[in-house]
Amino acid sequence: MRILVIGGAGYIGSHVVKSLLNTGFDVRVYDDLSTGKRINLFKQAEFVEGSLLDMESLKKALDNVDGVVHLAAKKAVGESMAEPEKYANNNLIGAINLLNAMTDKNVKYLVFSSSAAVYGMPQTPQLNESHPLNPINFYGFTKLEMERFMEWYDRLKGIKFVSLRYFNAVGYDEDGDILGLEEKPQNLLPVVMETLFGIRSQMSIFGNDYDTPDGTCIRDYIHVTDLATAHTLALQYLERENTSQILNLGTGTGHSVLEMIQETERIVNQKINYTMAPRRSGDPAKLTASSEKAQSILGWQPKHSDLENIIRSTWHVYQNTYEKNQN
Ligand SMILES: NC(=O)c1ccc[n+]([C@@H]2O[C@H](COP(=O)([O-])OP(=O)(O)OC[C@H]3O[C@@H](n4cnc5c(N)ncnc54)[C@H](O)[C@@H]3O)[C@@H](O)[C@H]2O)c1
């Protein structure tokens, strides 16, 4: 199968490209490089520079394609509340363009990057796919809307999809094949690393009075290589079963913010400069996934998501970037 990976120059997309190439798929990457990086591209995959908002270029990129992995989106929750128009354009109009272009070119399989943000505030500590859907930010709303669009395009146009609701994506390729670092990251581990390497003078822990063992928030951290494998399995599933699915991807095991920082300090044998700050609104105490459905439907199992592996693989990429630059 030839697969178009939209957003394949990004953090998760580049890991998906590697997994697809290793499984023997023919891969074409489509990316506007707005946040993606050339350094993340694999020479074994064809690269087309272009935007989801350019319908003609998008249709051309879909020539002779059997399936699509769509990862291209803006993803900063705070920004989505301040500038919803940016998110409406990119995450919704862009994604609807894709559904229309796929219809036009008769491409039938789509794997979509959704998010735990579709659920909103958790009503249970561990969430399965039938948990109520009540996004509390515009970013999560765009992901939920896209799932609804895909359901309609399945019914009306026969596009079969697997929507993967990622929890917290972390870690880097363990072979060191993917080295692009995100600029101005907002996720915990990159912020820990930036503090470690002096790019930030210090970091904050938002709230240490939650109802958790150490008082800090607990999240479900899933290694990006495990996420990537799920996309490959999802495409194989679509080809085999021709049925749409919505699936959580997480480990089911949570780690607290403090635990992540202290584990990093232990592994790198260095102190991290952090302070306690007040809670942020909209942060639940605990958010973990039940991924039993992905396990039974795709035969997927997280294999790279132990904390040590997550931290070491991230540290190596930061070392490669910052220690090399200093020499
Ligand atoms: N990182 C996480 O923890 C996380 C969690 C849940 C869901 N997601 C979703 O996973 C997907 C990938 O996230 P990521 O962390 O790799 O982000 P990223 O910013 O590294 O990757 C997004 C890629 O899409 C490209 N892109 C953006 N808009 C585009 C457009 N209009 N046309 C063409 N290309 C475009 C960017 O250049 C980039 O390469 C996103 O859809 C995000 O919402 C990420």
Side-chain angles (χ1 to χ4, degrees):
M1 280 171 101
R2 175 176 289 136
I3 307 300
L4 185 68
V5 181
I6 307 180
Y11 167 54
I12 301 170
S14 52
H15 289 82
V16 170
V17 170
K18 178 168 175 173
S19 169
L20 291 173
L21 288 171
N22 283 348
T23 315
F25 285 95
D26 193 356
V27 180
R28 181 182 293 156
V29 169
Y30 188 75
D31 198 299
D32 68 358
L33 299 177
S34 51
T35 55
K37 305 218 162 357
R38 281 187 192 277
I39 189 185
N40 285 341
L41 296 170
F42 285 82
K43 60 177 183 311
Q44 302 91 320
E46 181 190 349
F47 174 57
V48 179
E49 186 172 346
S51 171
L52 281 170
L53 299 171
D54 179 347
M55 195 59 168
E56 285 319 304
S57 155
L58 182 59
K59 278 191 195 165
K60 205 155 166 279
L62 284 167
D63 273 344
N64 304 316
V65 159
D66 304 294
V68 174
V69 180
H70 171 35
L71 305 111
K74 304 249 164 264
K75 59 168 189 178
V77 167
E79 185 187 56
S80 79
M81 299 297 273
E83 296 176 70
E85 62 280 21
K86 219 188 214 179
Y87 285 70
N89 241 333
N90 207 73
N91 296 13
L92 285 175
I93 296 176
I96 293 165
N97 277 349
L98 174 61
L99 289 172
N100 289 337
M102 286 177 66
T103 303
D104 189 67
K105 304 290 280 192
N106 202 26
V107 180
K108 291 291 181 206
Y109 302 135
L110 174 60
V111 178
F112 175 66
S113 299
S114 187
S115 163
V118 297
Y119 294 114
M121 289 306 270
Q123 295 176 7
T124 48
Q126 197 173 60
L127 279 61
N128 65 25
E129 292 81 357
S130 50
H131 183 282
L133 300 168
N134 223 341
I136 55 168
N137 51 63
F138 194 75
Y139 166 73
F141 164 77
T142 65
K143 294 291 180 186
L144 181 55
E145 280 303 286
M146 183 51 187
E147 287 189 352
R148 291 183 170 145
F149 268 95
M150 289 190 297
E151 280 163 355
W152 278 104
Y153 274 71
D154 175 353
R155 280 164 66 184
L156 304 176
K157 294 289 175 183
I159 293 178
K160 299 295 166 190
F161 69 89
V162 175
S163 185
L164 298 173
R165 293 177 178 165
Y166 316 154
F167 280 61
N168 294 60
V170 280
Y172 271 84
D173 176 59
E174 288 145 43
D175 304 324
D177 288 341
I178 297 167
L179 297 170
L181 289 180
E182 210 176 323
E183 281 146 39
K184 302 201 181 93
Q186 304 194 351
N187 291 348
L188 175 63
L189 201 49
V191 169
V192 170
M193 292 294 155
E194 288 203 349
T195 314
L196 188 67
F197 284 89
I199 296 126
R200 295 169 191 247
S201 56
Q202 64 164 47
M203 62 171 291
S204 304
I205 294 182
F206 298 102
N208 61 349
D209 56 354
Y210 286 96
D211 185 17
T212 59
D214 65 22
T216 66
C217 287
I218 292 177
R219 295 290 178 271
D220 188 330
Y221 295 96
I222 176 82
H223 194 288
V224 67
T225 300
D226 286 328
L227 284 183
T229 306
H231 294 72
T232 299
L233 293 170
L235 283 165
Q236 290 170 332
Y237 171 85
L238 284 169
E239 196 190 14
R240 197 174 59 240
E241 305 288 338
N242 199 38
T243 306
S244 297
Q245 294 288 351
I246 296 181
L247 305 171
N248 282 345
L249 293 180
T251 62
T253 312
H255 297 289
S256 76
V257 175
L258 201 56
E259 201 183 342
M260 291 290 276
I261 294 175
Q262 288 172 344
E263 255 316 90
T264 307
E265 289 184 328
R266 186 189 66 77
I267 289 168
V268 309
N269 196 23
Q270 239 178 286
K271 283 279 163 214
I272 291 160
N273 188 10
Y274 63 86
T275 54
M276 293 299 174
R279 291 182 179 196
R280 291 182 300 200
S281 72
D283 267 349
K286 185 171 180 191
L287 192 61
T288 60
S290 159
S291 300
E292 278 168 31
K293 197 173 165 196
Q295 295 183 16
S296 71
I297 283 177
L298 301 182
W300 175 77
Q301 275 290 345
K303 293 190 177 134
H304 301 261
S305 297
D306 61 281
L307 216 47
E308 174 113 14
N309 195 32
I310 282 170
I311 293 169
R312 277 196 192 280
S313 60
T314 310
W315 183 38
H316 289 154
V317 178
Y318 275 82
Q319 271 182 317
N320 176 77
T321 307
Y322 291 110
E323 291 182 356
K324 205 166 71 184
N325 288 348
Q326 277 163 12
N327 295 332

